[in-house]
Amino acid sequence: MRSTSRLVVAGLVIGVGLAVASPSFAQATGANIWAKGGCADCHGNLAAGDGDPAYPQGPNLRRTALQRADLREAIACGRPGTDMPYHAAGAYTAATPCFGITAGVPPATRKGGALSVQDLDTLVEFLLTSVKGQARITRANCALFNGGDLEAPACAEFPR
Ligand code: HEC
């Protein structure tokens, strides 16, 4: 009984902690999806277009002109005929049409990792709040991609 109530208290403390920390928590989650989704391979660790030379080069997303819906579509559906892969689970089916296509993935369309609707939304939100329009990278912005660590070696070159 006593240990059960301790557990409940611990759960409450953790729950409240997460709620208080939610803005940065949401951003960290977006950055995690960025890293785990393989976006960094082509677009660079900080989405600035300086990806791994072993992969096709993706553009600098800090300079994208796309609004929310087109940004989401590019990520979910990819760009047929280019190196931009699709990432929505079930893309190009009736459940998740892409460019009006429901009959399956068109030829020359690259496949990326399958992201859930929620992961896609979180990633798009992260790109809109922390990447698009931020061509000049600050230490704090770099830290978002490095677990929130302002002292991360990868961020040392950026101004505070
Ligand atoms: C294999 C390389 C590769 C990977 C992996 C990749 N991209 Fe791309 N991405 C590209 C290329 C190349 C383009 C340019 C496509 C074109 O010519 O229209 C692009 C275009 C985009 C665009 C459109 C930009 C604009 O302004 O038109 C967005 C947004 C984007 N990528 C986001 C992402 C995200 C988010 C991920 C990870 C979930 C990702 N990409 C993974 C290569 C890649």
Side-chain angles (χ1 to χ4, degrees), residues 46-142:
L46 304 179
D50 47 356
D52 186 328
Y55 289 84
Q57 168 140 27
N60 182 347
L61 297 181
R62 294 177 177 273
R63 297 188 185 279
T64 185
L66 298 183
Q67 308 283 335
R68 182 185 301 271
D70 289 339
L71 197 67
R72 196 179 191 292
E73 186 175 59
I75 300 166
C77 300
R79 294 254 171 92
T82 78
D83 282 318
M84 175 60 192
Y86 67 91
H87 293 88
Y92 298 94
T93 66
T96 313
C98 278
F99 313 111
I101 302 170
T102 58
V105 181
T109 306
R110 200 172 169 129
K111 185 180 191 309
L115 297 179
S116 66
V117 169
Q118 196 188 339
D119 281 356
L120 273 170
D121 288 343
T122 303
L123 181 56
V124 168
E125 204 53 45
F126 172 69
L127 292 174
L128 288 172
T129 56
S130 303
V131 171
K132 182 183 171 184
Q134 303 194 32
R136 184 179 160 275
I137 302 172
T138 61
R139 181 77 64 92
N141 187 271
C142 176

Coordinates of all heavy atoms in Angstrom, one line a residue, residues 46-142:
L46 N 21.7 19.7 -39.4 CA 21.0 20.8 -38.9 C 20.0 21.3 -40.0 O 19.6 22.5 -40.0 CB 21.9 22.0 -38.5 CG 23.0 21.6 -37.5 CD1 23.9 22.8 -37.2 CD2 22.3 21.1 -36.2
A47 N 19.7 20.4 -41.0 CA 18.7 20.7 -42.1 C 19.2 21.9 -43.0 O 18.4 22.5 -43.7 CB 17.4 21.1 -41.5
A48 N 20.5 22.1 -43.0 CA 21.0 23.3 -43.7 C 21.6 22.8 -45.1 O 22.3 23.6 -45.8 CB 22.1 24.0 -42.9
G49 N 21.3 21.6 -45.5 CA 21.6 21.2 -46.9 C 23.0 20.7 -47.0 O 23.5 20.5 -48.2
D50 N 23.7 20.4 -45.9 CA 25.1 19.9 -46.0 C 25.1 18.4 -45.5 O 25.7 18.1 -44.5 CB 26.1 20.8 -45.2 CG 25.5 21.1 -43.8 OD1 24.4 20.7 -43.5 OD2 26.2 21.7 -43.0
G51 N 24.4 17.6 -46.2 CA 24.2 16.2 -45.8 C 25.5 15.4 -46.0 O 26.5 15.9 -46.5
D52 N 25.4 14.1 -45.6 CA 26.5 13.2 -45.8 C 26.8 13.0 -47.3 O 25.9 12.7 -48.1 CB 26.0 11.8 -45.2 CG 27.1 10.8 -45.2 OD1 28.0 10.8 -46.1 OD2 27.1 10.0 -44.2
P53 N 28.1 13.2 -47.7 CA 28.4 13.1 -49.2 C 28.1 11.7 -49.8 O 27.9 11.6 -51.0 CB 29.9 13.3 -49.2 CG 30.3 13.8 -47.9 CD 29.2 13.5 -46.9
A54 N 27.9 10.7 -48.9 CA 27.6 9.4 -49.4 C 26.1 9.3 -49.9 O 25.7 8.3 -50.5 CB 27.8 8.3 -48.3
Y55 N 25.3 10.3 -49.5 CA 23.9 10.3 -49.9 C 23.6 11.4 -50.9 O 24.3 12.3 -51.0 CB 23.0 10.5 -48.7 CG 23.0 9.4 -47.7 CD1 24.1 9.2 -46.8 CD2 22.1 8.4 -47.7 CE1 24.1 8.2 -45.9 CE2 22.1 7.3 -46.8 CZ 23.1 7.2 -45.9 OH 23.1 6.2 -45.1
P56 N 22.5 11.2 -51.6 CA 22.1 12.3 -52.5 C 21.9 13.6 -51.7 O 21.4 13.6 -50.6 CB 20.7 11.9 -53.1 CG 20.6 10.4 -52.8 CD 21.5 10.2 -51.6
Q57 N 22.2 14.7 -52.4 CA 22.1 16.0 -51.6 C 20.7 16.5 -51.6 O 20.0 16.7 -52.6 CB 23.0 17.0 -52.3 CG 22.7 18.4 -51.8 CD 23.9 19.3 -51.6 OE1 24.9 19.1 -52.3 NE2 23.9 20.2 -50.7
G58 N 20.2 16.8 -50.4 CA 18.9 17.4 -50.2 C 19.1 18.9 -50.0 O 20.1 19.4 -49.5
P59 N 18.1 19.7 -50.4 CA 18.2 21.2 -50.3 C 18.2 21.7 -48.8 O 17.8 20.9 -47.9 CB 17.0 21.7 -51.0 CG 16.0 20.6 -51.1 CD 16.8 19.4 -51.0
N60 N 18.7 22.9 -48.6 CA 18.7 23.6 -47.3 C 17.2 23.9 -46.9 O 16.6 24.7 -47.6 CB 19.5 24.9 -47.4 CG 19.6 25.6 -46.1 OD1 18.8 25.3 -45.2 ND2 20.5 26.6 -46.1
L61 N 16.7 23.2 -45.9 CA 15.3 23.4 -45.6 C 15.1 24.7 -44.8 O 14.0 25.1 -44.6 CB 14.8 22.2 -44.8 CG 14.8 20.9 -45.6 CD1 14.2 19.7 -44.8 CD2 14.0 21.0 -46.9
R62 N 16.2 25.3 -44.3 CA 16.1 26.6 -43.6 C 15.6 27.7 -44.6 O 15.1 28.7 -44.2 CB 17.4 27.0 -43.0 CG 17.8 26.0 -41.9 CD 19.1 26.3 -41.2 NE 19.3 25.3 -40.1 CZ 18.8 25.5 -38.9 NH1 18.3 26.6 -38.5 NH2 19.0 24.6 -38.0
R63 N 15.8 27.4 -45.9 CA 15.5 28.4 -46.9 C 14.2 27.9 -47.7 O 13.9 28.5 -48.7 CB 16.6 28.6 -47.9 CG 17.8 29.2 -47.2 CD 18.9 29.6 -48.2 NE 20.1 30.0 -47.6 CZ 20.3 31.2 -47.1 NH1 19.3 32.1 -47.2 NH2 21.4 31.5 -46.5
T64 N 13.5 26.9 -47.2 CA 12.4 26.4 -48.0 C 11.3 27.5 -48.0 O 11.2 28.3 -47.0 CB 11.8 25.1 -47.5 OG1 10.7 24.7 -48.3 CG2 11.2 25.3 -46.0
A65 N 10.6 27.6 -49.1 CA 9.4 28.6 -49.2 C 8.1 27.9 -48.9 O 7.1 28.5 -48.9 CB 9.4 29.2 -50.6
L66 N 8.2 26.6 -48.7 CA 6.9 25.8 -48.6 C 6.1 26.2 -47.3 O 6.7 26.3 -46.2 CB 7.2 24.3 -48.6 CG 7.9 23.7 -49.8 CD1 8.0 22.2 -49.7 CD2 7.1 24.1 -51.1
Q67 N 4.8 26.2 -47.5 CA 3.9 26.4 -46.3 C 3.6 25.0 -45.8 O 3.9 24.0 -46.4 CB 2.6 27.1 -46.8 CG 2.8 28.3 -47.6 CD 3.2 29.5 -46.7 OE1 2.8 29.5 -45.5 NE2 3.8 30.5 -47.3
R68 N 2.9 25.0 -44.6 CA 2.6 23.8 -43.9 C 2.1 22.6 -44.8 O 2.7 21.5 -44.7 CB 1.6 24.1 -42.8 CG 1.2 22.9 -41.9 CD 0.1 23.2 -41.0 NE 0.5 24.3 -40.1 CZ 1.1 24.2 -39.0 NH1 1.4 23.0 -38.5 NH2 1.5 25.3 -38.3
A69 N 1.1 22.8 -45.6 CA 0.5 21.7 -46.3 C 1.5 21.1 -47.3 O 1.6 19.9 -47.5 CB -0.8 22.1 -47.0
D70 N 2.2 22.0 -48.0 CA 3.1 21.5 -49.1 C 4.3 20.8 -48.4 O 4.9 19.9 -49.0 CB 3.5 22.6 -50.0 CG 2.4 23.1 -50.9 OD1 1.4 22.3 -51.1 OD2 2.4 24.2 -51.4
L71 N 4.7 21.4 -47.3 CA 5.9 20.8 -46.6 C 5.5 19.4 -46.2 O 6.3 18.4 -46.3 CB 6.1 21.7 -45.3 CG 7.5 21.6 -44.6 CD1 8.6 22.1 -45.5 CD2 7.4 22.4 -43.3
R72 N 4.3 19.2 -45.6 CA 3.9 17.9 -45.1 C 3.8 17.0 -46.3 O 4.2 15.8 -46.2 CB 2.5 18.1 -44.4 CG 2.1 16.9 -43.6 CD 0.8 17.1 -42.9 NE 0.6 16.1 -41.9 CZ 0.3 14.8 -42.2 NH1 0.3 14.4 -43.4 NH2 0.1 14.0 -41.2
E73 N 3.2 17.5 -47.4 CA 3.1 16.6 -48.6 C 4.4 16.1 -49.1 O 4.6 15.0 -49.5 CB 2.3 17.3 -49.7 CG 1.9 16.5 -50.9 CD 1.0 17.2 -51.9 OE1 1.5 18.3 -52.4 OE2 -0.1 16.7 -52.1
A74 N 5.4 17.0 -49.2 CA 6.7 16.7 -49.7 C 7.3 15.5 -48.8 O 7.9 14.6 -49.3 CB 7.6 17.9 -49.7
I75 N 7.1 15.6 -47.5 CA 7.7 14.6 -46.6 C 6.9 13.3 -46.7 O 7.4 12.2 -46.8 CB 7.7 15.1 -45.2 CG1 8.6 16.4 -45.1 CG2 8.3 14.1 -44.2 CD1 8.4 17.2 -43.8
A76 N 5.6 13.4 -46.6 CA 4.7 12.2 -46.6 C 4.8 11.5 -48.0 O 4.9 10.3 -48.0 CB 3.2 12.6 -46.4
C77 N 4.8 12.2 -49.1 CA 4.6 11.6 -50.4 C 6.0 11.6 -51.2 O 6.0 10.9 -52.2 CB 3.6 12.4 -51.2 SG 2.0 12.4 -50.4
G78 N 6.9 12.3 -50.7 CA 8.2 12.4 -51.4 C 8.0 13.2 -52.7 O 7.0 13.8 -52.9
R79 N 9.0 13.1 -53.6 CA 8.9 13.7 -54.9 C 9.3 12.7 -56.0 O 10.4 12.4 -56.2 CB 9.9 14.9 -55.0 CG 9.5 16.1 -54.0 CD 8.9 17.2 -54.8 NE 8.4 18.3 -54.0 CZ 9.1 19.3 -53.5 NH1 10.4 19.5 -53.9 NH2 8.5 20.2 -52.8
P80 N 8.2 12.1 -56.6 CA 8.5 11.1 -57.7 C 9.5 11.7 -58.7 O 9.4 12.8 -59.1 CB 7.1 10.9 -58.3 CG 6.1 11.2 -57.2 CD 6.8 12.3 -56.4
G81 N 10.4 10.8 -59.1 CA 11.4 11.2 -60.1 C 12.6 12.0 -59.5 O 13.5 12.4 -60.2
T82 N 12.6 12.2 -58.2 CA 13.8 12.8 -57.5 C 14.3 11.9 -56.4 O 13.7 10.8 -56.2 CB 13.4 14.2 -56.9 OG1 12.7 14.0 -55.7 CG2 12.5 15.0 -57.8
D83 N 15.3 12.4 -55.7 CA 15.8 11.6 -54.6 C 15.0 11.8 -53.3 O 15.4 11.2 -52.2 CB 17.3 11.9 -54.4 CG 18.2 11.2 -55.4 OD1 17.9 10.0 -55.7 OD2 19.1 11.8 -55.9
M84 N 14.0 12.6 -53.3 CA 13.3 12.8 -52.0 C 12.3 11.7 -51.8 O 11.4 11.5 -52.6 CB 12.5 14.2 -52.1 CG 11.6 14.4 -50.9 SD 12.5 14.4 -49.3 CE 11.2 14.4 -48.2
P85 N 12.5 10.9 -50.8 CA 11.7 9.7 -50.5 C 10.3 10.0 -49.9 O 10.2 11.1 -49.3 CB 12.5 8.9 -49.5 CG 13.8 9.6 -49.3 CD 13.6 11.0 -49.8
Y86 N 9.4 9.1 -50.0 CA 8.1 9.3 -49.3 C 8.3 8.7 -47.9 O 9.0 7.7 -47.8 CB 6.9 8.7 -50.1 CG 6.9 7.2 -50.2 CD1 6.3 6.4 -49.3 CD2 7.6 6.6 -51.3 CE1 6.3 5.0 -49.5 CE2 7.6 5.2 -51.5 CZ 6.9 4.5 -50.6 OH 6.9 3.1 -50.7
H87 N 7.6 9.2 -46.9 CA 7.7 8.8 -45.5 C 6.5 8.4 -44.8 O 6.5 8.0 -43.7 CB 8.5 9.8 -44.7 CG 9.9 10.0 -45.1 ND1 10.3 10.9 -46.1 CD2 11.0 9.5 -44.7 CE1 11.6 10.9 -46.2 NE2 12.1 10.0 -45.4
A88 N 5.3 8.6 -45.5 CA 4.0 8.3 -44.8 C 3.8 6.8 -45.0 O 4.0 6.2 -46.1 CB 2.9 9.0 -45.5
A89 N 3.5 6.1 -43.8 CA 3.1 4.7 -43.9 C 1.8 4.7 -44.8 O 0.9 5.4 -44.6 CB 2.8 4.2 -42.5
G90 N 1.8 3.8 -45.8 CA 0.6 3.6 -46.6 C 0.5 4.7 -47.7 O -0.7 5.0 -48.1
A91 N 1.5 5.4 -48.0 CA 1.4 6.5 -49.0 C 1.0 5.9 -50.3 O 1.3 4.8 -50.7 CB 2.8 7.2 -49.2
Y92 N 0.2 6.7 -51.1 CA -0.3 6.4 -52.4 C -1.3 5.2 -52.4 O -1.4 4.4 -53.3 CB 0.9 6.0 -53.4 CG 1.9 7.1 -53.6 CD1 3.0 7.2 -52.9 CD2 1.6 8.1 -54.6 CE1 3.9 8.3 -53.1 CE2 2.5 9.1 -54.8 CZ 3.7 9.2 -54.1 OH 4.6 10.2 -54.3
T93 N -2.0 5.2 -51.3 CA -3.2 4.3 -51.2 C -4.4 5.1 -50.9 O -4.3 6.3 -50.6 CB -3.0 3.2 -50.1 OG1 -3.0 3.9 -48.8 CG2 -1.7 2.4 -50.3
A94 N -5.6 4.5 -50.9 CA -6.8 5.2 -50.6 C -6.8 5.8 -49.2 O -7.3 6.9 -49.0 CB -8.0 4.3 -50.8
A95 N -6.1 5.2 -48.3 CA -6.0 5.7 -46.9 C -5.2 6.9 -46.9 O -5.4 7.8 -46.1 CB -5.5 4.6 -46.0
T96 N -4.1 7.0 -47.7 CA -3.2 8.1 -47.7 C -2.9 8.5 -49.1 O -1.8 8.2 -49.6 CB -1.9 7.8 -46.9 OG1 -2.3 7.1 -45.7 CG2 -1.1 9.0 -46.6
P97 N -3.8 9.2 -49.8 CA -3.5 9.5 -51.2 C -2.4 10.5 -51.3 O -2.2 11.3 -50.4 CB -4.8 10.2 -51.7 CG -5.8 9.9 -50.7 CD -5.1 9.7 -49.4
C98 N -1.6 10.4 -52.4 CA -0.5 11.4 -52.6 C -0.7 12.0 -54.0 O -0.7 11.2 -55.0 CB 0.8 10.7 -52.5 SG 1.4 10.5 -50.8
F99 N -0.8 13.3 -54.1 CA -1.0 14.0 -55.4 C -2.2 13.4 -56.2 O -2.1 13.2 -57.4 CB 0.3 13.9 -56.3 CG 1.6 14.2 -55.5 CD1 2.5 13.3 -55.3 CD2 1.8 15.5 -55.1 CE1 3.7 13.6 -54.6 CE2 3.0 15.9 -54.4 CZ 3.9 14.9 -54.1
G100 N -3.2 12.9 -55.4 CA -4.4 12.3 -56.0 C -4.2 10.9 -56.4 O -5.1 10.3 -56.9
I101 N -3.0 10.3 -56.2 CA -2.8 8.9 -56.6 C -3.1 8.0 -55.4 O -2.6 8.2 -54.3 CB -1.3 8.7 -57.1 CG1 -1.0 9.7 -58.2 CG2 -1.0 7.3 -57.4 CD1 0.5 9.7 -58.6
T102 N -3.9 6.9 -55.7 CA -4.3 6.0 -54.7 C -3.9 4.5 -55.1 O -4.1 3.6 -54.4 CB -5.8 6.0 -54.4 OG1 -6.5 5.7 -55.6 CG2 -6.2 7.3 -53.8
A103 N -3.4 4.4 -56.4 CA -3.2 3.1 -57.0 C -1.8 2.5 -56.7 O -1.4 1.6 -57.4 CB -3.4 3.2 -58.5
G104 N -1.1 3.1 -55.8 CA 0.2 2.5 -55.5 C 1.3 3.5 -55.8 O 1.1 4.5 -56.5
V105 N 2.5 3.2 -55.3 CA 3.7 4.1 -55.5 C 4.1 4.2 -57.0 O 4.3 3.1 -57.6 CB 4.8 3.7 -54.6 CG1 6.0 4.6 -54.7 CG2 4.4 3.5 -53.1
P106 N 4.2 5.4 -57.5 CA 4.6 5.5 -58.9 C 6.1 5.1 -59.1 O 6.8 5.0 -58.1 CB 4.5 7.0 -59.3 CG 3.8 7.6 -58.1 CD 3.9 6.7 -56.9
P107 N 6.4 4.7 -60.4 CA 7.8 4.3 -60.6 C 8.8 5.5 -60.3 O 8.3 6.7 -60.2 CB 7.9 4.0 -62.1 CG 6.6 4.3 -62.6 CD 5.6 4.7 -61.6
A108 N 10.0 5.2 -60.0 CA 11.0 6.2 -59.7 C 10.7 7.1 -58.5 O 11.0 8.3 -58.5 CB 11.3 7.1 -61.0
T109 N 10.0 6.4 -57.6 CA 9.7 7.1 -56.3 C 10.4 6.4 -55.2 O 10.2 5.2 -55.0 CB 8.2 7.1 -56.1 OG1 7.5 7.7 -57.2 CG2 7.8 8.0 -54.8
R110 N 11.3 7.2 -54.5 CA 12.1 6.6 -53.5 C 11.4 6.3 -52.2 O 10.6 7.2 -51.8 CB 13.3 7.5 -53.3 CG 14.5 6.9 -52.7 CD 15.7 7.9 -52.7 NE 16.7 7.4 -51.9 CZ 18.0 7.3 -52.3 NH1 18.4 7.7 -53.5 NH2 18.9 6.7 -51.5
K111 N 11.7 5.2 -51.5 CA 11.0 4.9 -50.3 C 11.9 5.3 -49.1 O 13.0 5.0 -49.1 CB 10.7 3.4 -50.2 CG 9.9 2.9 -49.0 CD 9.8 1.4 -49.1 CE 8.7 0.9 -48.1 NZ 8.9 1.3 -46.7
G112 N 11.3 6.0 -48.1 CA 12.0 6.3 -46.9 C 11.4 5.6 -45.8 O 10.6 4.6 -46.0
G113 N 11.7 5.9 -44.5 CA 11.2 5.3 -43.4 C 9.7 5.6 -43.2 O 9.2 6.6 -43.7
A114 N 8.9 4.6 -42.7 CA 7.5 4.8 -42.5 C 7.2 5.6 -41.3 O 7.5 5.1 -40.2 CB 6.8 3.5 -42.5
L115 N 6.7 6.8 -41.4 CA 6.4 7.6 -40.2 C 4.9 7.6 -40.0 O 4.1 7.6 -41.0 CB 6.8 9.1 -40.5 CG 8.3 9.3 -40.6 CD1 8.6 10.8 -40.9 CD2 9.1 8.9 -39.4
S116 N 4.5 7.6 -38.7 CA 3.0 7.6 -38.4 C 2.5 9.1 -38.6 O 3.3 10.0 -38.8 CB 2.8 7.3 -36.9 OG 3.4 8.3 -36.1
V117 N 1.2 9.2 -38.7 CA 0.6 10.5 -38.9 C 1.1 11.5 -37.8 O 1.4 12.6 -38.0 CB -1.0 10.4 -38.8 CG1 -1.6 11.7 -38.7 CG2 -1.5 9.6 -40.1
Q118 N 1.1 10.9 -36.6 CA 1.6 11.8 -35.4 C 3.0 12.2 -35.6 O 3.4 13.4 -35.4 CB 1.4 11.1 -34.1 CG 1.4 12.0 -32.9 CD 1.4 11.2 -31.6 OE1 1.0 10.1 -31.6 NE2 1.9 11.9 -30.6
D119 N 3.9 11.3 -36.0 CA 5.3 11.7 -36.2 C 5.4 12.7 -37.3 O 6.2 13.6 -37.2 CB 6.1 10.4 -36.5 CG 6.5 9.6 -35.3 OD1 6.1 10.1 -34.2 OD2 7.1 8.6 -35.4
L120 N 4.7 12.5 -38.4 CA 4.7 13.5 -39.5 C 4.3 14.9 -39.0 O 5.0 15.9 -39.3 CB 3.7 13.1 -40.6 CG 4.3 12.1 -41.7 CD1 3.2 11.6 -42.5 CD2 5.4 12.8 -42.5
D121 N 3.2 14.9 -38.2 CA 2.7 16.2 -37.7 C 3.8 16.9 -36.8 O 4.0 18.1 -36.9 CB 1.4 16.0 -36.9 CG 0.3 15.7 -37.9 OD1 0.4 15.9 -39.1 OD2 -0.8 15.2 -37.4
T122 N 4.4 16.1 -35.9 CA 5.4 16.6 -35.0 C 6.6 17.1 -35.8 O 7.1 18.2 -35.5 CB 5.8 15.5 -34.0 OG1 4.7 15.0 -33.4 CG2 6.8 16.0 -33.0
L123 N 7.0 16.4 -36.8 CA 8.2 16.8 -37.6 C 7.9 18.1 -38.4 O 8.7 19.0 -38.4 CB 8.5 15.6 -38.6 CG 9.7 15.8 -39.5 CD1 11.0 16.1 -38.7 CD2 9.9 14.5 -40.4
V124 N 6.7 18.1 -39.0 CA 6.3 19.4 -39.7 C 6.3 20.6 -38.8 O 6.8 21.6 -39.1 CB 5.0 19.2 -40.4 CG1 4.5 20.5 -41.0 CG2 5.1 18.2 -41.6
E125 N 5.7 20.4 -37.6 CA 5.7 21.5 -36.6 C 7.1 21.9 -36.3 O 7.4 23.1 -36.2 CB 4.9 21.0 -35.4 CG 4.3 22.0 -34.6 CD 3.4 22.9 -35.4 OE1 2.6 22.4 -36.2 OE2 3.5 24.2 -35.2
F126 N 8.0 21.0 -36.0 CA 9.3 21.3 -35.7 C 10.0 22.0 -36.8 O 10.7 23.0 -36.6 CB 10.1 19.9 -35.4 CG 11.6 20.1 -35.2 CD1 12.1 20.7 -34.1 CD2 12.4 19.6 -36.2 CE1 13.4 20.9 -33.9 CE2 13.8 19.8 -36.0 CZ 14.3 20.4 -34.9
L127 N 9.8 21.6 -38.1 CA 10.5 22.3 -39.2 C 9.9 23.7 -39.3 O 10.7 24.7 -39.6 CB 10.2 21.5 -40.5 CG 10.9 20.2 -40.6 CD1 10.5 19.4 -41.8 CD2 12.4 20.3 -40.5
L128 N 8.6 23.9 -39.0 CA 8.1 25.3 -39.1 C 8.5 26.2 -38.0 O 8.8 27.4 -38.2 CB 6.5 25.2 -39.1 CG 5.9 24.6 -40.4 CD1 4.4 24.4 -40.2 CD2 6.1 25.5 -41.6
T129 N 8.7 25.6 -36.8 CA 9.0 26.5 -35.7 C 10.6 26.7 -35.5 O 11.0 27.7 -35.1 CB 8.5 25.9 -34.3 OG1 9.0 24.6 -34.2 CG2 7.0 26.0 -34.3
S130 N 11.3 25.7 -36.0 CA 12.8 25.7 -35.6 C 13.7 25.6 -36.8 O 14.9 25.7 -36.6 CB 13.1 24.5 -34.7 OG 12.3 24.6 -33.5
V131 N 13.2 25.5 -38.0 CA 14.1 25.4 -39.2 C 13.8 26.4 -40.3 O 14.6 27.3 -40.6 CB 14.0 24.0 -39.8 CG1 14.7 23.9 -41.1 CG2 14.6 23.0 -38.8
K132 N 12.5 26.4 -40.8 CA 12.2 27.3 -41.9 C 12.4 28.8 -41.5 O 12.0 29.2 -40.4 CB 10.7 27.1 -42.3 CG 10.3 28.0 -43.4 CD 8.8 27.8 -43.8 CE 8.4 28.9 -44.8 NZ 7.0 28.9 -45.1
G133 N 13.1 29.5 -42.3 CA 13.3 30.9 -42.1 C 14.4 31.2 -41.1 O 14.7 32.4 -40.8
Q134 N 15.1 30.2 -40.7 CA 16.2 30.4 -39.7 C 17.5 30.0 -40.4 O 18.2 29.0 -40.0 CB 16.0 29.6 -38.4 CG 14.6 30.0 -37.8 CD 14.5 29.5 -36.4 OE1 15.4 29.4 -35.6 NE2 13.2 29.2 -36.0
A135 N 17.9 30.8 -41.4 CA 19.1 30.5 -42.1 C 20.4 30.7 -41.3 O 21.3 30.0 -41.4 CB 19.2 31.4 -43.4
R136 N 20.3 31.6 -40.3 CA 21.4 31.8 -39.4 C 21.2 30.9 -38.2 O 20.3 31.1 -37.5 CB 21.5 33.3 -39.0 CG 22.7 33.7 -38.2 CD 22.6 35.1 -37.8 NE 23.5 35.4 -36.6 CZ 23.0 35.3 -35.4 NH1 21.8 34.9 -35.1 NH2 23.9 35.5 -34.4
I137 N 22.2 30.0 -38.0 CA 22.0 29.0 -37.0 C 22.6 29.5 -35.7 O 23.8 29.9 -35.7 CB 22.7 27.7 -37.4 CG1 22.1 27.2 -38.7 CG2 22.5 26.6 -36.3 CD1 22.8 26.0 -39.3
T138 N 21.8 29.6 -34.6 CA 22.3 30.0 -33.3 C 22.7 28.7 -32.5 O 22.4 27.6 -32.9 CB 21.3 30.7 -32.5 OG1 20.2 29.8 -32.4 CG2 20.8 32.0 -33.3
R139 N 23.4 29.0 -31.4 CA 23.8 27.9 -30.5 C 22.6 27.1 -30.0 O 22.5 25.9 -30.0 CB 24.6 28.4 -29.3 CG 25.1 27.4 -28.3 CD 26.3 26.7 -28.8 NE 27.5 27.6 -29.0 CZ 28.4 27.8 -28.1 NH1 28.4 27.2 -26.9 NH2 29.4 28.6 -28.4
A140 N 21.6 27.9 -29.6 CA 20.3 27.3 -29.1 C 19.6 26.5 -30.1 O 19.1 25.4 -29.8 CB 19.4 28.4 -28.6
N141 N 19.6 27.0 -31.4 CA 19.0 26.2 -32.4 C 19.8 24.9 -32.7 O 19.2 23.8 -32.9 CB 18.9 27.1 -33.7 CG 18.1 26.4 -34.8 OD1 18.6 25.6 -35.6 ND2 16.7 26.6 -34.8
C142 N 21.1 25.0 -32.7 CA 21.9 23.8 -32.9 C 21.6 22.8 -31.8 O 21.5 21.6 -32.0 CB 23.4 24.2 -33.0 SG 24.5 22.8 -33.1

